Amino acid sequence: MSHSPSPSMSKTTKDTFQHVEDKALAESYINVGTDYANNVNAKIRNPLAGIPKPELLADVAAFCKKAGLDDKVSVFQKGALVAQNPDGFEDIEELEEDDKIPIRREKTHKWHLPWALYFSVAVCSLGSAIQGWDNTGANGANLSFPLEFGIENNTWLVGFVNAAPGISGLMSTWVADPMNNWVGRRGVIFITGLFVIFPVLGQAFTHNWWSLLICRLLMGFGMGIKTTTIPIMTSEIVPAVIRGGLVMSFQLFVALGILIGFCSNLVFYRVGDLAWRYQLAAAFAPAVPIVILIWFCPESPRWLLKKHRYSDSFRSFCRLRNSEVIAARDLYYAYCQVIEEEHAFGGTTLLRRAKEIFTIPRIRRANLGGAIVMIAQQFSGINIMSFYSSTIFKEAGSNTLQTLLSSFGFGLVNFIFAFPAIWTIDTFGRRNLLLFTFPNMAWCLIAGGCCFLLPTENSARLPLIAFFIYLFTALYSPGIGPVPNVYASECFPLSHREIGVGFSIFINNTLSSILGLTFPSILSGMGPTGAFGFYAGLNMLAFVIIFFFLPETKQRTLEELDYIFGVPTRRHAAYQTRTWLPWFIKRYVFFQRNAHLEPLYHLEGFSQGTAVEHMAVH
């Protein structure tokens, strides 16, 4: 690693280092040879690699002195040495045996983490249950509220009311960046929790379609910001090796909300004409504990790091990690990488950051990746099932009770099959899960659509339609269900994370609103068979786009992903066709066990064991 000072250090970086007396610290982490924008050699570099031990220890001491952590110098020095050589910590003489035990357990007991981390993940993820519950509340309410308001024949208006939360969420996603900047992750989750309490309850007291529409627009404003912030908060507090499994709890709680929503629909089924009011308003319940419990969670240590609140960041890391040395390691490693990020692309204003997610190649590629997974989720057609499964089953010939029970089955399958992703998303990988599930989802939709062609009096018609919808859902839940929010929350650098995730959620909400708005008319014009076939085609289109343009991110630290998204898109696409596809054919078509796959990414500054463990080439 070069230690020569950069000839053009950015103002942001200078401000970051203005408190450092030993300017060598700044020079140690500003490497003019590091080009995140165009990582043409596909190399992932440890920012601490190559720094001599005396210099590294002096740098750490200077950092602790000016960060108000003088009493933790030895802890941070140990952490920095572990970060510099993560796989060789056993040979670091500064570490005592008590220091090494928690580090060993990171590999042998990777799920053994402090209760504060799991508590924080659970509280944050509970906010996503509201989203799923509202979808299914609207699902059941679709059977009655259009009749009460006299709009049952206006499919566009019914679709507009259902899609209202997504429509207002389009604009609110852009508010997530300044709100996070001002009040932090916890403050944003608290404020948005209020938006999903009072407007949601207000739906029960509306007496015309436009007042119901206003309530849903207000609810959607809060949900747009919440959906942006919760995955960011979760991704910033969990370790890299199980980040996918814990961040996907967002989708797991969405599935739980969907299931509870269908249960709520059945509970209020016999209320009569007022059933839809209870079905819509019941979704406020998860928000009440959120606005209380969120203040018992530690603030995101990376947000505190971004604000240069290093002591607070360390205290937060200590609550989320198993030892002070591990907390110091993660904080100092992230700190060093943030310095390089700020030097490379440190947007200082909202407008500048909004521009840079399209203009800086490394961030533009992350933006592309986030957009791909969000578009793919909507292309899958799952939100249509969430909003309109009752309508679909009614088209299949079932009565109201059968329709609600069939929809409950959809919610149950969606929830149960979300659990495998907790393990597979960090082992099998984000990209592989999508490449496996999308083609299978497509043929399930085609088969289900063809079943609508059976005669209505055929007793097998409804069971077959339900079977293929359930099978489609079972494939969706561990695949494109959890991946988008995990992927979007991790692919952007800290400097552009809020604005980047906000744009990804903006795309998701835009398509969700369009599809929710248009599906009643599509169903009316094309029929169930045509509608299912249309979404099957979109599934296959998503498969092709993912294969060529979506990098794998499993088991990378948030900081290492700078190098992953520094690889030019054309090189990634060329690797898939020229290297990966021929290897796959040799290995799994011709069963050549000696077929060798040349990796795309090459790690520098890591020991061999770490490189093997982290090599994401599939």
Side-chain angles (χ1 to χ4, degrees):
M1 176 177 177
S2 171
H3 299 294
S4 59
S6 170
S8 57
M9 188 183 296
S10 68
K11 181 181 184 300
T12 304
T13 305
K14 289 179 180 178
D15 292 343
T16 302
F17 282 106
Q18 64 182 354
H19 61 279
V20 181
E21 293 175 354
D22 184 0
K23 296 301 179 182
L25 177 60
E27 297 171 5
S28 296
Y29 306 121
I30 304 303
N31 180 5
V32 71
T34 299
D35 186 358
Y36 295 110
N38 292 286
N39 184 17
V40 294
N41 294 318
K43 292 182 178 180
I44 302 172
R45 187 181 58 80
N46 185 333
L48 300 178
I51 303 177
K53 180 187 287 190
E55 183 178 344
L56 178 62
L57 297 181
D59 291 346
V60 173
F63 165 77
C64 291
K65 180 179 180 180
K66 294 305 179 180
L69 293 165
D70 301 85
D71 57 331
K72 300 294 181 182
V73 173
S74 64
V75 174
F76 271 85
Q77 288 177 335
K78 292 176 182 179
L81 290 170
V82 175
Q84 185 182 52
N85 186 13
D87 222 36
F89 70 90
E90 295 283 3
D91 299 324
I92 297 176
E93 59 185 15
E94 284 80 2
L95 293 181
E96 300 175 2
E97 183 62 23
D98 289 343
D99 298 322
K100 295 178 182 179
I101 292 174
I103 302 174
R104 293 189 194 115
R105 290 176 62 85
E106 285 187 302
K107 291 184 178 181
T108 59
H109 299 75
K110 62 182 180 180
W111 292 92
H112 185 265
L113 295 164
W115 74 269
L117 186 142
Y118 286 113
F119 175 78
S120 300
V121 170
V123 170
C124 292
S125 300
L126 186 60
S128 61
I130 303 164
Q131 180 178 336
W133 196 333
D134 174 73
N135 284 356
T136 50
N139 191 314
N142 282 330
L143 299 176
S144 51
F145 88 81
L147 296 173
E148 180 167 334
F149 293 155
I151 59 174
E152 67 274 15
N153 294 323
N154 192 335
T155 56
W156 283 100
L157 186 54
V158 173
F160 185 55
V161 173
N162 282 323
I167 293 172
S168 58
L170 297 180
M171 295 299 105
S172 66
T173 53
W174 297 105
V175 182
D177 184 286
M179 280 192 66
N180 273 271
N181 187 52
W182 294 332
V183 299
R185 314 289 191 232
R186 294 186 306 175
V188 169
I189 293 172
F190 171 79
I191 293 171
T192 55
L194 300 178
F195 276 88
V196 289
I197 292 178
F198 300 107
V200 173
L201 279 173
Q203 295 177 108
F205 302 97
T206 56
H207 296 285
N208 46 60
W209 67 264
W210 55 264
S211 56
L212 176 62
L213 176 66
I214 292 173
C215 287
R216 292 184 65 75
L217 288 171
L218 289 172
M219 174 185 67
F221 182 84
M223 287 176 63
I225 304 172
K226 170 186 66 63
T227 306
T228 301
T229 304
I230 288 176
I232 294 177
M233 171 73 166
T234 310
S235 71
E236 289 181 343
I237 66 176
V238 301
V241 69
I242 57 171
R243 185 176 61 244
L246 289 181
V247 178
M248 67 84 48
S249 63
F250 180 94
Q251 181 62 30
L252 182 64
F253 274 77
V254 169
L256 177 62
I258 289 174
L259 178 61
I260 296 175
F262 281 127
C263 292
S264 174
N265 289 347
L266 286 168
V267 168
F268 296 118
Y269 160 66
R270 297 191 181 279
V271 173
D273 294 338
L274 296 177
W276 69 269
R277 298 183 182 275
Y278 294 96
Q279 290 166 344
L280 288 177
F284 88 97
V288 176
I290 292 172
V291 298
I292 299 172
L293 297 178
I294 190 61
W295 298 111
F296 294 92
C297 302
E299 179 58 272
S300 163
R302 284 183 167 87
W303 181 84
L304 294 168
L305 178 61
K306 183 179 179 179
K307 292 296 182 180
H308 300 170
R309 293 167 55 181
Y310 304 119
S311 296
D312 293 335
S313 179
F314 180 62
R315 282 191 289 270
S316 181
F317 262 127
C318 286
R319 292 183 63 186
L320 300 167
R321 298 295 185 265
N322 286 322
S323 74
E324 283 193 341
V325 171
I326 294 175
R329 177 201 65 188
D330 289 355
L331 171 56
Y332 195 70
Y333 183 90
Y335 167 75
C336 296
Q337 196 71 32
V338 165
I339 298 307
E340 292 197 357
E341 286 181 3
E342 290 181 338
H343 175 59
F345 30 72
T348 55
T349 66
L350 175 60
L351 290 178
R352 180 178 171 183
R353 290 195 298 272
K355 177 184 177 182
E356 288 174 345
I357 64 174
F358 299 101
T359 57
I360 294 179
R362 178 267 181 262
I363 308 177
R364 185 174 66 240
R365 294 182 194 112
N367 203 22
L368 175 63
I372 286 173
V373 292
M374 291 298 178
I375 293 171
Q377 187 180 65
Q378 297 305 318
F379 277 11
S380 72
I382 192 65
N383 278 352
I384 300 308
M385 301 297 181
S386 298
F387 271 113
Y388 295 108
S389 66
S390 297
T391 305
I392 291 170
F393 285 121
K394 190 173 182 180
E395 285 279 337
S398 60
N399 59 38
T400 301
L401 180 58
Q402 290 174 328
T403 293
L404 292 176
L405 286 171
S406 299
S407 293
F408 170 78
F410 160 77
L412 183 62
V413 171
N414 187 36
F415 178 65
I416 291 174
F417 282 89
F419 281 94
I422 295 176
W423 295 273
T424 57
I425 198 169
D426 284 315
T427 54
F428 198 51
R430 287 82 155 130
R431 186 172 181 271
N432 282 344
L433 281 174
L434 301 185
L435 292 177
F436 172 76
T437 54
F438 265 108
N440 288 293
M441 290 162 59
W443 73 257
C444 287
L445 286 174
I446 292 173
C450 291
C451 290
F452 279 95
L453 299 176
L454 295 172
T456 307
E457 59 274 10
N458 191 323
S459 60
R461 187 172 187 261
L462 180 59
L464 283 173
I465 292 172
F467 170 77
F468 285 114
I469 288 177
Y470 294 165
L471 186 57
F472 163 86
T473 307
L475 291 163
Y476 163 88
S477 295
I480 193 59
V483 167
N485 285 293
V486 172
Y487 201 94
S489 66
E490 66 188 5
C491 64
F492 292 94
L494 183 60
S495 57
H496 293 71
R497 190 161 294 153
E498 296 92 342
I499 193 72
V501 177
F503 182 70
S504 297
I505 299 298
F506 173 82
I507 292 174
N508 189 279
N509 286 346
T510 299
L511 286 176
S512 176
S513 301
I514 292 173
L515 297 178
L517 179 64
T518 58
F519 186 75
S521 298
I522 290 175
L523 187 63
S524 176
M526 301 176 63
T529 302
F532 276 42
F534 172 72
Y535 280 103
L538 292 181
N539 273 259
M540 291 309 300
L541 177 59
F543 170 83
V544 173
I545 294 173
I546 289 166
F547 178 80
F548 284 108
F549 303 116
L550 193 70
E552 180 59 79
T553 60
K554 70 170 182 176
Q555 296 188 358
R556 303 288 188 185
T557 68
L558 295 178
E559 291 71 35
E560 289 168 1
L561 291 176
D562 283 333
Y563 300 94
I564 297 293
F565 289 98
V567 176
T569 303
R570 63 182 179 277
R571 175 162 184 177
H572 181 273
Y575 173 83
Q576 306 308 321
T577 54
R578 298 174 184 174
T579 305
W580 189 89
L581 190 58
W583 167 82
F584 181 86
I585 293 173
K586 291 177 183 177
R587 179 66 181 83
Y588 294 104
V589 177
F590 297 109
F591 300 103
Q592 298 179 10
R593 295 183 177 274
N594 61 346
H596 173 69
L597 177 62
E598 179 66 27
L600 172 59
Y601 306 120
H602 300 273
L603 286 80
E604 291 185 347
F606 296 89
S607 60
Q608 184 63 27
T610 305
V612 172
E613 177 186 352
H614 283 229
M615 192 67 69
V617 298
H618 300 297

